[in-house]
Amino acid sequence: METIVLMAVIILMVGIGMRWIQLLNARNDAGIETYRFSDPRPRPPGLPDDTGRRAHHTEPDR
């Protein structure tokens, strides 16, 4: 009898934990959706338009 009760309690706790994680994820997703990211900072004068790696790539593709 004790084994059955222990298994039921463990299953119940796992279910509660799963539900809690789902609620926290939904809350986090809602916070990310409503967050307004700032506008990009202006580029300092004298820099080229594209400063990424590919802009400086001069070798032909292999």
Side-chain angles (χ1 to χ4, degrees), residues 19-48:
R19 180 66 178 145
W20 190 29
I21 290 171
Q22 288 176 344
L23 291 173
L24 289 174
N25 283 338
R27 180 177 160 194
N28 188 30
D29 290 344
I32 289 172
E33 287 177 5
T34 59
Y35 181 77
R36 184 182 185 285
F37 292 97
S38 64
D39 295 331
R41 293 170 52 183
R43 185 178 304 278
L47 288 179

Side-chain angles (χ1 to χ4, degrees), residues 45-57:
L47 288 179
D49 289 340
D50 187 8
T51 59
R53 282 182 160 186
R54 292 182 180 252
H56 302 292
H57 184 71

